[in-house]
Amino acid sequence: MTLIEGHRPITPATGIPVWDVNPYDEAILRDPYEYYARLRELGEVVYIPRYSVLAVGRYATTHKIFADHENFLSSRGVGLNDFALEKGWRERSIILEVDPPEHTKTRKVMARVLSPKVMKTMSDLFRDTAERIVDQIIDQGTIEVVADLAEPYPTTVFPQALGMTESNRRYLVDYGAMVFNSVGPDNALRRNSLRNAGEIIPWITAACARERLTEDGMGAMVYADADKGEITHDEAGLLVRSFLSAGVDTTVTGIGNALWCLSQNPGEWDKLKADPTLFRPAFEEVLRYTSPVHTFGRTAGHATEIAGYPVEEGTKILCVLGAANMDPDKWGDPEVFRIDRKPVGHVGFGAGIHGCVGQNLARAELQALLTVMLERIDRIEPAGDPVWRPNNAIRALDKLPLKLIPK
Ligand code: HEM
């Protein structure tokens, strides 16, 4: 059987609209909003012949598939490769890329380590680092957000919170890009980010070893659960790797996207400055409006259906979270960025049993950084055009020039 991008080609059910589009075209990845709109407009589910996959972008259907882990599996990969047919590029994640009952066990460990209670113990680290980094840039006038803020902040606090004794900003950022580009097809983005895999993967694997971690960080907490017999020590190492896979690029992107939204909407920055308790809904709105993870997939574990259309076993389904988060049927006026919208149910952190287990950490980091900025900076203004960095799963900025006007 000839596979397409590591999965079996399908014959779509009669009536499913066919769309000759490449969702991984770099122009679409840089500016996806028309693609999102067309995908929703075409129907509940669309067939994309180029990769022989189905795609969904309407809110209700996308949410339903993410919430239905019995029919739509993660264990066969959340990208185009079907792990039942082809080996992935790395040993698979034992939380993201497994189903229950395996998932239940590892999820429990991660949820405990990333609980609000544990995050509270890190608030001084998050706040002090935010003050130091903001103080360094505040008098610069114009900054480039990605290089000056969005990358330095998480790559400073995160390794410390995890307890890494040795860190490498470039490797952490490049590993994240590799993980997320790998869920896409074998295109230039994927190939380029995997180019340094030979150098980076051994470094990442070594960094997850117990002896390379301090005794008081989140990594040590994972190993302590292994000591109690909840997981094996090898599994502990793989869970620490999950922190490094999913915890850096996502927060770098979250910070950049938040500052993009707020600089494009000065009235919303002012609202937040006047009432910083709006942080929580503001960040949720950033996630809804920009969907830092724009697309993740599922595999039909057996013959099933989507919106009444039969779906073959083994079908890959692209769940376009970015399109669902901009669905007017759900949000009314999705193209308006409003920090007090309170977009309950957005799928920026996913939905169902795999919903982001790191969301407390993401919020805690963002809150510390934005709070310090709002205390010290009166206004932020665009100082040039933003440049987006195409990635097969992440919608991230490459450059965001911003003028800071201190108080
Ligand atoms: C703005 C920041 C973040 C965004 C937008 C985000 C987004 C997501 C999404 C959409 C999923 C669902 C994947 C799926 O269902 O297939 C997910 C899962 C996950 N995230 Fe996050 N994430 C963020 C930050 C973090 C952080 C800081 C960590 C830190 C450890 C993390 C760790 C994970 C893990 C381990 C999973 C898999 C959970 C499971 O399968 O049960 N994420 N994230």
Side-chain angles (χ1 to χ4, degrees):
M1 183 194 4
T2 311
L3 302 182
I4 297 188
E5 300 294 346
H7 66 269
R8 202 176 58 231
I10 55 162
T11 308
T14 313
I16 295 183
V18 177
W19 187 17
D20 184 17
V21 68
N22 177 8
Y24 301 100
D25 183 313
E26 291 194 18
I28 289 181
L29 295 172
R30 279 199 189 89
D31 184 6
Y33 292 95
E34 263 179 44
Y35 157 75
Y36 292 163
R38 185 80 186 124
L39 178 65
R40 288 190 309 264
E41 217 171 82
L42 280 169
E44 290 295 351
V45 53
V46 171
Y47 175 65
I48 298 179
R50 184 183 176 114
Y51 298 118
S52 198
V53 293
L54 298 181
V56 295
R58 292 188 185 170
Y59 176 83
T61 312
T62 309
H63 187 275
K64 198 168 167 202
I65 292 176
F66 253 52
D68 180 358
H69 61 270
E70 281 170 5
N71 286 308
F72 301 106
L73 308 182
S74 292
S75 57
R76 288 168 72 169
V78 296
L80 293 177
N81 285 70
D82 182 346
F83 294 169
L85 303 175
E86 206 178 69
K87 219 167 154 259
W89 63 283
R90 59 168 195 172
E91 192 177 344
R92 83 160 83 156
S93 161
I94 59 169
I95 178 163
L96 178 72
E97 294 162 338
V98 289
D99 304 314
E102 291 82 2
H103 176 260
T104 317
K105 184 179 70 168
T106 49
R107 172 85 190 194
K108 199 168 146 203
V109 170
M110 289 292 268
R112 200 158 43 212
V113 175
L114 288 156
S115 67
K117 200 168 138 205
V118 174
M119 293 309 107
K120 240 192 201 138
T121 64
M122 297 179 179
S123 55
D124 285 350
L125 166 69
F126 293 164
R127 164 93 202 182
D128 295 348
T129 312
E131 285 181 352
R132 209 174 59 241
I133 291 184
V134 171
D135 281 346
Q136 276 164 12
I137 56 164
I138 195 157
D139 294 322
Q140 246 170 263
T142 300
I143 62 162
E144 195 289 284
V145 167
V146 179
D148 294 337
L149 205 57
E151 285 189 0
Y153 183 67
T155 52
T156 305
V157 289
F158 185 79
Q160 283 187 56
L162 193 56
M164 294 174 79
T165 49
E166 198 187 302
S167 184
N168 180 320
R169 176 174 303 170
R170 205 61 267 152
Y171 281 0
L172 288 174
V173 170
D174 289 354
Y175 183 62
M178 196 183 289
V179 168
F180 286 103
N181 270 321
S182 297
V183 304
D186 181 25
N187 57 10
L189 292 171
R190 190 181 203 262
R191 281 194 295 272
N192 287 339
S193 49
L194 283 171
R195 203 181 289 148
N196 295 330
E199 192 183 334
I200 297 176
I201 291 178
W203 184 86
I204 292 283
T205 308
C208 298
R210 187 172 210 168
E211 59 277 12
R212 291 276 293 272
L213 297 165
T214 60
E215 284 172 12
D216 57 355
M218 294 186 293
M221 293 173 70
V222 174
Y223 276 101
D225 281 344
D227 292 340
K228 283 187 235 146
E230 290 197 32
I231 49 172
T232 67
H233 286 87
D234 284 350
E235 286 172 336
L238 282 171
L239 286 185
V240 174
R241 192 193 68 176
S242 286
F243 277 91
L244 301 182
S245 310
V248 180
D249 235 30
T250 47
T251 41
V252 169
T253 304
I255 294 168
N257 291 10
L259 290 171
W260 175 69
C261 291
L262 291 166
S263 60
Q264 299 285 321
N265 297 276
E268 301 306 288
W269 168 270
D270 288 340
K271 262 197 234 168
L272 193 54
K273 202 172 51 175
D275 182 3
T277 63
L278 283 174
F279 165 77
R280 176 86 183 232
F283 183 43
E284 302 309 307
E285 177 69 345
V286 168
L287 295 173
R288 182 199 67 79
Y289 192 74
T290 65
S291 295
V293 174
H294 61 76
T295 308
F296 257 12
R298 293 290 189 261
T299 313
H302 45 254
T304 178
E305 57 87 24
I306 297 176
Y309 294 103
V311 167
E312 293 170 26
E313 181 275 331
T315 301
K316 280 282 176 188
I317 303 122
L318 302 185
C319 299
V320 186
L321 305 175
N325 276 337
M326 292 298 279
D327 185 346
D329 286 349
K330 170 72 180 169
W331 310 107
D333 56 353
E335 69 296 335
V336 182
F337 174 79
R338 223 180 35 237
I339 64 164
D340 47 7
R341 177 189 296 271
K342 302 197 171 82
V344 176
H346 74 75
V347 285
F349 280 134
I353 63 164
H354 289 279
C356 183
V357 74
Q359 52 187 283
N360 298 318
L361 177 57
R363 285 196 192 96
E365 283 189 23
L366 258 289
Q367 182 159 15
L369 185 62
L370 268 187
T371 303
V372 170
M373 290 186 78
L374 290 159
E375 283 168 7
R376 295 172 191 204
I377 296 168
D378 188 42
R379 274 181 300 133
I380 54 175
E381 287 173 4
D385 288 336
V387 178
W388 294 89
R389 182 187 298 173
N391 180 293
N392 291 328
I394 291 258
R395 172 151 167 77
L397 284 154
D398 191 50
K399 293 203 165 46
L400 177 65
L402 216 59
K403 191 170 169 203
L404 307 182
I405 299 122
K407 280 186 175 166

